[in-house]
Amino acid sequence: MKMENYEAFVGFDLCKVPLSSAAQKIMSAVHSGDSVESKNWRESEKTAEVVNNSRIKYSVLLENGKNQSLEKRNLSSSTSQTSGSSINLCPPSSSIRLPDQPSADQNQKNVSSLAPPSCFIPQCNQEAAVLQKTESKRTHFLKENKNNEKKEMPVNLKRKHGTCHFSGKTNKHVALEENADEVEAHLNCGNARACENHFCDVRYLDDLEKSQLVEMLQQAVAVVVTLMYEDGSTQLRAEQALFPSVKGIAMLLQSRVDGSGPLDVSASDSVLGEGATLRDQYIYLQTEHSFTGGQEQEAYNQFARKVLFQMLKCKCPVVCFNAKDFVRTVLQFFGKDGSWKHVVHFVGLDPRIAAWLIDPGDAAPSFEDLVAKYLESSISVKVNCTYGNSSRNVVNQNVRVNLKMLHRLTMGLCSQLKVYGLWQLFCTLELPLIPVLAVMESHRFQVNREEMERTSALLGSRLKELEQEAHFVAGEQFLITSNNQLREILFGKLKLHLLSPRETLPRTGLQRLPSTSESVLSAVQDLHPLPKIILEYRRVHKIKSAFVDGLLACMRKGSISSTWNQTGTVTGRLSARHPNIQGISKHPIQITKPQNVKGTEGTMLTISPRSMFVAPEGHTFLAADFSQIELRILAHLSGDPELLKLFRESERNDVFSTLTSQWKDITPERVTHADREQTKKVVYSAVYGAGKERLAACLGVTVQEAAQFLESFLQKYKKIKDFVQTTIAQCHQTGYVASITGRRRPLPRVRAQDRQLRAQAERQAVNFVVQGSAADLCKMAMIHVFTAVAASPTLTARLVAQIHDELLFEVEDSQIPEFAALVRGTMESLRNVRALELQLQVPLKVSLSAGHSWGHLVPLQEAPRPSDQPTSC
DNA sequence: GCGGTGCCACTTTGG
DNA sequence: TCCAAAGTGGCA
């Protein structure tokens, strides 16, 4: 789906908008789910109060029962329209209470901050029973899963053809069903009716059936997919292996049948009205390459690629739990034959992302968690079935049931997104990001392994040296990492606790033994050489394990690739794991050189973890940083004239340097990097509500001086204070805060009795609005640059990492100038984003740097801009 | 004595 | 009583 189509269908605030055909099909798919399934969604008795937010219009409209039925009729008929029509985007529930607008009785109950949105709870007084049911269900899953793991997997199943046409009336499927286990093992049967009860394995389709399948994909109203793993489990299983082996893709195709087509219609199909019905068909597509190879395999691969291409450009959305993994699997299947550019417009409706937007504090819920939270409690999910202890027949039946449930869950969550005013954000930002992240994960960072191993060995030598020193000064050998042994030496043998000027040293919790923590060691470090040695040992050990060995452990075939988590933060930021590339030390670290190291230049050794990352031959890293992104957003949101002036007038200057020179009363040229970093810390701390004590510690001045600085800063930028107060007041009023794109963070603790909790929630509220908005812009930048490169016939630059405000690309040397101009232009023009009705009062500034290693990037000369007026996105 | 686990404090990053 | 992460070691 194309970006412009998105923009068309996300302009839904007025409830009725003209839609492009592709966008409309997405909406039709969503609503065909609504019309069939809406009754299964929990509805509460009370109606939302209208807050000062146009997006709540839905709930107001929905109070009218007539509207609701009209809407349903509209929805059914809209599915057959093609373009320029109007769709009422009201959600299915007739009366919805928003979680941030609790009813009076709920307020009295002081609902826990972790409670799910109340609109999903059928009756509040049944909540305990529901939770209990869920808990017992979970225990059941765990038991079931444990049993499954013990059983062995079946081996080598023979291939068996079951040829029957989609349109044919053969009864072969009946015969096949009798031998259910084998049928399901091969998943083979092309008959339309059979496909409603079984999976059709694409491998066994004849040419006619193949073309029918492609046609079905083109006509599909909904496509629901899940990856199938080697053991028969799917993405819907709660516990996922770190590197699960994908075997294939199971999908549910829902197509409209109007009675006149070639496909058979049965009474069991869902009736949509006007003679049209929905038909479910289950398809299985193997992606794992079999051992046979040869021409047959090649022919199959070719067709499988065709099916996957068709899915990528599907006119309806593809529903998938963890859609990023699906996209990555597709990219992997394409291998060298496919460019990453093929997935750029893929739209995968991911219920996990939808649920996260609604409740960002709910960390990584599994499919069953979501079903328990958002669907009826009576539904039982069998997600943990594997081939282990269940017949394939049962496993595949569960997969079919779960695909249906996944569809229902997703449709319901989509409706909820609209209720909360999050639909636009979901469609313009979070969904387009899925292929971006999948492509990032498919690319591997080259790491200088030799250098890493050398550094590891160096650090290892230093650790050995420190250990020997420790043994020497202690007068005996002991295990340096054992705190018990260390405690015995420090306090048993050396009796440092008796020599310490501190009256009492901290003790361990339960056993009340003298602690060997860092604070204790620091307190006694002048009494004996041992504590200092231990402190350095621990420091070096930490660097070795975190930045060298930790990274080496993540390496496969000389390179690393982080896993990007789209739903791991409360502010909307991305996070990275294995390794956490966002936390890799930027500044070189100095340690004392081990004595056995040759070369005499200096006694210190510099370790620069980022320098281990190198661009491949003929390529260069290019980093694009948003300059002072949060401060610019703060200027925009507060409208502070002084801050706005600072950004508008000194567009080419560094604002933190300017502030530093003002604060320290020195010329901007004399501001050092450390000064600037300090100012940055102080400014953000002040804005986000740091106390004068913390600021004093940060600045290295007295508490009084810090208080004075705080006052003068907030006095100069008066409107910052107003912004902070307004944000907190709004949070108190509604129970949540929102970023510039409408991303929400519920903060129920803002109404807590405890003053500390309340104050913390208030600081979080202020921080979220700014940090969340910056995160929105950075994600937007990723999408826009990604799309721009994909649209270019020549550019090949790849996004390899995002470090919050910095995008790191790997660019062909020859393309640096062209790409640099494109990146700068694209990122800076995000000042205006039409799709999100965003227009910042301040310009955005992007600084570029490039180099052959990530640790050695040098600023790129600023290319002349095409025009001073940035184009809008 | 060894290894697994959960909590906490502390490091790095980013603003 | 700045905010947000991931990762590590200490401790029980």
Side-chain angles (χ1 to χ4, degrees):
Chain A
M1 169 177 249
K2 288 182 181 173
M3 210 63 197
E4 54 265 32
N5 294 336
Y6 261 97
E7 290 173 5
F9 88 87
V10 293
F12 67 91
D13 263 36
L14 299 173
C15 275
K16 288 189 172 186
V17 288
L19 299 177
S20 69
S21 80
Q24 191 191 340
K25 288 198 178 176
I26 286 194
M27 291 313 306
S28 305
V30 169
H31 283 289
S32 69
D34 285 346
S35 58
V36 178
E37 312 286 1
S38 66
K39 278 177 191 154
N40 295 316
W41 279 79
R42 301 174 179 178
E43 293 173 14
S44 61
E45 311 87 335
K46 306 212 171 173
T47 307
E49 287 171 36
V50 180
V51 292
N52 187 17
N53 181 344
S54 61
R55 292 177 176 117
I56 308 300
K57 278 175 187 170
Y58 294 117
S59 56
V60 181
L61 272 168
L62 289 168
E63 286 178 22
N64 186 332
K66 215 172 179 180
N67 253 356
Q68 171 80 0
S69 59
L70 187 71
E71 182 202 348
K72 284 195 175 179
R73 277 205 303 275
N74 281 348
L75 292 170
S76 333
S77 58
S78 70
T79 51
S80 59
Q81 294 165 5
T82 50
S83 66
S85 63
S86 287
I87 292 181
N88 191 335
L89 297 167
C90 295
S93 314
S94 62
S95 126
I96 286 168
R97 182 173 65 231
L98 297 173
D100 303 303
Q101 301 290 320
S103 64
D105 55 340
Q106 262 193 312
N107 268 336
Q108 281 161 10
K109 282 182 197 167
N110 191 17
V111 183
S112 151
S113 62
L114 296 172
S118 52
C119 57
F120 295 116
I121 301 170
Q123 286 163 15
C124 286
N125 57 2
Q126 286 179 7
E127 192 174 341
V130 171
L131 284 173
Q132 209 175 351
K133 268 188 184 174
T134 312
E135 192 47 49
S136 73
K137 209 162 61 185
R138 236 171 236 150
T139 320
H140 170 72
F141 290 142
L142 289 174
K143 275 184 196 163
E144 189 182 48
N145 192 40
K146 252 192 174 145
N147 291 336
N148 291 341
E149 282 168 359
K150 287 176 191 159
K151 305 280 172 80
E152 281 176 21
M153 298 226 311
V155 286
N156 290 339
L157 289 152
K158 286 179 203 165
R159 181 177 166 166
K160 181 176 170 185
H161 285 272
T163 311
C164 30
H165 295 286
F166 281 115
S167 52
K169 289 259 179 184
T170 78
N171 282 327
K172 278 187 184 172
H173 63 281
V174 177
L176 291 167
E177 269 177 45
E178 285 167 7
N179 192 4
D181 252 25
E182 276 216 325
V183 173
E184 289 289 330
H186 300 293
L187 302 156
N188 57 347
C189 187
N191 181 280
R193 292 253 54 82
C195 283
E196 288 172 23
N197 298 315
H198 298 271
F199 279 97
C200 296
D201 191 326
V202 171
R203 281 176 294 179
Y204 309 128
L205 300 182
D206 63 26
D207 289 345
L208 175 62
E209 290 162 349
K210 281 178 180 172
S211 63
Q212 283 178 327
L213 174 60
V214 173
E215 200 181 319
M216 264 163 56
L217 270 167
Q218 284 166 350
Q219 306 288 324
V221 175
V223 179
V224 189
V225 302
T226 183
L227 297 179
M228 295 279 297
Y229 299 120
E230 199 60 58
D231 63 354
S233 70
T234 68
Q235 285 178 296
L236 307 176
R237 183 177 175 173
E239 298 113 44
Q240 298 284 324
L242 197 56
F243 300 108
S245 176
V246 179
K247 193 180 64 172
I249 297 163
M251 67 182 114
L252 158 62
L253 281 184
Q254 205 168 61
S255 44
R256 284 177 61 81
V257 183
D258 58 12
S260 59
L263 296 171
D264 188 22
V265 180
S266 86
S268 65
D269 292 320
S270 313
V271 179
L272 283 180
E274 296 178 16
T277 56
L278 279 183
R279 154 154 324 142
D280 295 337
Q281 277 161 319
Y282 296 93
I283 312 293
Y284 176 72
L285 182 88
Q286 179 159 320
T287 55
E288 177 194 50
H289 295 290
S290 80
F291 299 103
T292 54
Q295 272 190 335
E296 203 179 348
Q297 176 76 43
E298 193 34 53
Y300 170 74
N301 287 348
Q302 231 168 24
F303 179 66
R305 272 196 282 272
K306 191 174 176 183
V307 171
L308 291 173
F309 272 124
Q310 195 58 53
M311 286 172 82
L312 290 178
K313 57 179 188 182
C314 226
K315 286 172 189 163
C316 68
V318 174
V319 174
C320 183
F321 186 81
N322 288 346
K324 184 189 70 184
D325 294 345
F326 168 74
V327 181
R328 216 184 43 240
T329 301
V330 171
L331 281 166
Q332 208 173 348
F333 188 78
F334 285 169
K336 286 174 185 158
D337 303 348
S339 158
W340 60 266
K341 294 185 177 185
H342 286 127
V343 302
V344 70
H345 295 303
F346 174 74
V347 179
L349 282 188
D350 191 329
R352 197 182 219 174
I353 293 171
W356 169 70
L357 284 180
I358 292 167
D359 185 4
D362 191 359
S366 65
F367 172 62
E368 60 184 281
D369 289 337
L370 291 182
V371 170
K373 186 169 174 180
Y374 295 109
L375 283 179
E376 287 171 338
S377 57
S378 58
I379 295 171
S380 73
V381 192
K382 289 180 182 163
V383 290
N384 285 329
C385 265
T386 64
Y387 294 148
N389 70 341
S390 314
S391 72
R392 282 166 186 258
N393 194 12
V394 172
V395 171
N396 292 324
Q397 188 191 339
N398 290 339
V399 174
R400 289 196 305 273
V401 170
N402 287 339
L403 283 174
K404 283 289 277 184
M405 210 185 295
L406 176 61
H407 187 231
R408 276 179 53 191
L409 174 72
T410 310
M411 293 307 115
L413 282 166
C414 286
S415 298
Q416 290 305 310
L417 286 175
K418 287 169 214 154
V419 174
Y420 293 119
L422 292 164
W423 181 243
Q424 196 170 3
L425 172 66
F426 185 59
C427 295
T428 48
L429 221 159
E430 298 300 343
L431 293 191
L433 195 65
I434 293 170
V436 182
L437 296 182
V439 169
M440 266 167 82
E441 285 186 13
S442 307
H443 187 267
R444 302 189 67 82
F445 240 126
Q446 266 194 27
V447 180
N448 187 340
R449 191 177 194 128
E450 290 77 39
E451 180 66 29
M452 294 265 281
E453 282 167 349
R454 213 170 24 243
T455 309
S456 181
L458 267 174
L459 294 173
S461 311
R462 179 67 191 141
L463 286 178
K464 253 206 172 91
E465 235 173 52
L466 286 166
E467 192 177 16
Q468 282 168 357
E469 281 176 35
H471 291 166
F472 179 74
V473 299
E476 64 176 288
Q477 295 232 327
F478 70 102
L479 192 60
I480 200 162
T481 51
S482 163
N483 292 302
N484 284 330
Q485 293 183 29
L486 181 64
R487 179 169 23 246
E488 182 51 39
I489 287 169
L490 288 175
F491 308 115
K493 185 175 176 181
L494 302 172
K495 307 216 182 296
L496 293 186
H497 57 298
L498 300 176
L499 303 171
S500 169
R502 276 169 72 171
E503 297 244 322
T504 51
L505 287 171
R507 284 178 176 268
T508 59
L510 268 176
Q511 297 182 22
R512 308 305 301 159
L513 299 168
S515 166
T516 55
S517 66
E518 184 171 350
S519 65
V520 174
L521 294 177
S522 304
V524 297
Q525 63 179 338
D526 294 331
L527 305 174
H528 193 273
L530 184 57
K532 259 190 185 140
I533 294 169
I534 302 293
L535 283 171
E536 190 181 350
Y537 182 92
R538 286 183 182 168
R539 201 177 126 247
V540 175
H541 187 64
K542 191 141 195 169
I543 291 163
K544 184 173 188 287
S545 51
F547 298 130
V548 185
D549 294 353
L551 223 57
L552 278 170
C554 295
M555 272 178 86
R556 280 188 298 153
K557 295 176 190 167
S559 58
I560 59 128
S561 176
S562 291
T563 304
W564 295 91
N565 191 353
Q566 200 175 344
T567 59
T569 68
V570 282
T571 54
R573 278 184 170 187
L574 292 174
S575 69
R577 283 181 309 174
H578 311 306
N580 174 17
I581 208 151
Q582 296 175 322
I584 288 173
S585 209
K586 187 177 192 172
H587 307 291
I589 306 152
Q590 299 236 316
I591 65 154
T592 311
K593 201 184 267 181
Q595 282 167 0
N596 64 352
V597 174
K598 285 177 190 164
T600 47
E601 69 283 11
T603 54
M604 299 304 278
L605 185 72
T606 305
I607 293 158
S608 168
R610 287 194 180 182
S611 301
M612 311 286 175
F613 294 85
V614 287
E617 192 65 34
H619 291 72
T620 299
F621 283 136
L622 185 142
D625 270 64
F626 273 125
S627 303
Q628 311 99 20
I629 181 83
E630 283 190 19
L631 203 57
R632 283 173 195 264
I633 283 167
L634 183 69
H636 165 77
L637 290 169
S638 66
D640 183 87
E642 281 293 318
L643 212 48
L644 286 174
K645 205 171 105 191
L646 207 58
F647 285 121
R648 284 175 183 157
E649 285 181 357
S650 58
E651 200 190 324
R652 298 281 187 269
N653 297 333
D654 182 275
V655 174
F656 285 118
S657 296
T658 310
L659 285 171
T660 310
S661 74
Q662 287 173 1
W663 153 243
K664 298 215 166 182
D665 201 20
I666 48 175
T667 57
E669 295 76 41
R670 288 186 52 211
V671 174
T672 65
H673 178 76
D675 287 338
R676 186 187 176 277
E677 288 298 300
Q678 192 189 39
T679 303
K680 199 165 127 183
K681 206 141 203 116
V682 167
V683 166
Y684 286 124
S685 306
V687 169
Y688 298 135
K692 50 185 185 284
E693 292 82 8
R694 183 68 73 98
L695 276 180
C698 191
L699 283 163
V701 298
T702 66
V703 173
Q704 232 169 3
E705 286 172 305
Q708 212 174 1
F709 167 80
L710 200 60
E711 201 185 317
S712 66
F713 179 81
L714 293 175
Q715 189 59 38
K716 177 155 192 190
Y717 304 103
K718 284 194 188 72
K719 287 243 179 158
I720 291 180
K721 214 170 182 176
D722 293 348
F723 161 74
V724 168
Q725 282 170 352
T726 313
T727 306
I728 292 171
Q730 192 208 331
C731 188
H732 274 284
Q733 198 186 346
T734 59
Y736 71 94
V737 274
S739 75
I740 42 172
T741 63
R743 185 190 303 282
R744 293 158 63 112
R745 177 165 184 191
L747 285 161
R749 284 184 175 173
V750 83
R751 292 162 176 162
Q753 294 289 321
D754 187 329
R755 219 189 65 205
Q756 277 191 19
L757 288 178
R758 219 165 49 229
Q760 188 187 22
E762 288 173 356
R763 289 194 304 273
Q764 287 172 326
V766 177
N767 177 263
F768 171 83
V769 175
V770 183
Q771 191 184 112
S773 301
D776 296 339
L777 277 178
C778 294
K779 283 173 160 180
M780 196 57 79
M782 292 170 79
I783 296 163
H784 281 243
V785 174
F786 184 77
T787 314
V789 174
S792 159
T794 51
L795 287 176
T796 57
R798 292 205 57 163
L799 183 57
V800 290
Q802 186 243 43
I803 303 97
H804 306 303
D805 68 323
E806 169 189 342
L807 301 184
L808 188 67
F809 298 92
E810 203 177 274
V811 192
E812 278 184 50
D813 292 341
S814 61
Q815 297 182 356
I816 288 278
E818 185 189 354
F819 181 69
L822 178 133
V823 169
R824 190 194 295 280
T826 307
M827 286 171 75
E828 291 188 349
S829 67
L830 288 171
R831 184 180 180 181
N832 307 298
V833 183
R834 209 172 47 230
L836 289 167
E837 294 166 27
L838 182 71
Q839 182 147 24
L840 296 179
Q841 299 184 56
V842 280
L844 290 173
K845 192 185 155 198
V846 170
S847 57
L848 301 176
S849 50
H852 282 94
S853 112
W854 189 23
H856 299 110
L857 301 181
V858 290
L860 217 63
Q861 284 296 323
E862 200 159 314
R865 288 158 214 234
S867 76
D868 286 328
Q869 203 64 39
T871 53
S872 72
C873 298

